[in-house]
Amino acid sequence: MFLKKYISDIFNAVKSLLIGMRRTGYYFTHRKEIITQQYPDVKQILPERFRGEVIMLHDENNEHACTGCTACELACPNGTIKIITKFDVTPEGKKKKALDTFIYHLELCTMCNLCIEACPTDAIKMAQNFEHSVYDRSQLTKKLNKPGSKIREGVE
Ligand code: SF4
Ligand code: SF4
C-alpha cells in the first residue's frame, strides 16, 4: 500500500513538472505573448489615463494656478486634501486670499479624480508615478506647492 502511494506520488510530481515545462516551452517559442515584466529593470508604458498621484503644476518661473479656493478640498470624499490659505497684499494695498500650503495625504487618496474635476483653474492633475513605497508613513503626506512658488499673474 505504501509502495503504491509512493510510486503514485512520484508519477504525479513528474506529470506536474512536465505540464509546467510545457507552458515554459510554449513561452520560450512565443516570446511576443509574454506579459510578465522584469520590473524594475523594465518599466511598462502605462495607459494615458493611469492615475498614480495628484500633483500641482508649476511652470518654469515656479508659478502655479492655485488660488486657494478650496474647491478640491471640498470635493475630496475622504479628507485627503487640506488647503491652508493666507492673505497677500495686492499692489493696490488690498488683501487677497492666496494659497499658503496644499497638503496632500497620498496614503488616503483613492485616485477618484474628483479634486481634479473640481479645480476651476486646472492647477492640479493626476501624475503616473506609482512607486510610492516608503518606510515612514509620514513621507506620504506631501506639500504640493513648491517652496517659493506663487500664483501665476492673471489667474483668478
Ligand atoms: S483623487 Fe479623489 S481621493 Fe484623491 S485627493 Fe482627489 S478627490 Fe481626494
Ligand atoms: S487646486 Fe484648484 S480647486 Fe484646489 S484650491 Fe487650488 S485652485 Fe482651488
Side-chain angles (χ1 to χ4, degrees):
M1 196 68 183
F2 168 76
L3 188 62
K4 192 177 168 189
K5 184 175 182 317
Y6 183 71
I7 292 171
S8 168
D9 284 349
I10 291 175
F11 176 78
N12 287 332
V14 172
K15 186 179 164 193
S16 166
L17 179 67
L18 289 176
I19 290 170
M21 290 305 289
R22 188 173 69 177
R23 183 60 28 197
T24 303
Y26 177 84
Y27 283 118
F28 196 73
T29 53
H30 296 74
R31 292 188 164 267
K32 285 188 178 164
E33 292 179 34
I34 297 173
I35 56 170
T36 305
Q37 305 247 326
Q38 297 298 319
Y39 178 83
D41 297 328
V42 177
K43 290 190 179 171
Q44 190 179 355
I45 297 168
L46 296 165
E48 201 180 312
R49 291 170 58 198
F50 179 83
R51 299 170 183 172
E53 66 175 326
V54 175
I55 59 163
M56 180 173 287
L57 297 166
H58 293 70
D59 62 19
E60 62 281 3
N61 299 320
N62 201 21
E63 293 176 338
H64 57 71
C66 179
T67 61
C69 71
T70 71
C72 52
E73 181 180 339
L74 293 171
C76 180
N78 53 11
T80 300
I81 293 171
K82 175 75 185 150
I83 303 290
I84 300 171
T85 55
K86 60 181 179 180
F87 281 102
D88 282 345
V89 180
T90 65
E92 296 81 38
K94 290 182 180 170
K95 276 187 175 177
K96 187 179 179 188
K97 194 168 95 169
L99 177 71
D100 181 68
T101 312
F102 188 122
I103 297 169
Y104 172 57
H105 293 281
L106 175 59
E107 75 277 20
L108 299 177
C109 184
T110 60
M111 313 298 162
C112 68
N113 211 47
L114 291 175
C115 55
I116 313 288
E117 289 170 17
C119 180
T121 58
D122 296 330
I124 49 176
K125 74 163 199 170
M126 279 289 174
Q128 294 199 318
N129 177 31
F130 61 89
E131 294 166 314
H132 298 307
S133 301
V134 287
Y135 288 106
D136 178 2
R137 274 174 69 93
S138 68
Q139 290 175 10
L140 296 174
T141 299
K142 303 185 177 200
K143 179 182 167 182
L144 296 196
N145 52 316
K146 291 183 183 172
S149 63
K150 60 181 172 60
I151 190 166
R152 196 172 305 122
E153 207 173 314
V155 178
E156 295 289 338

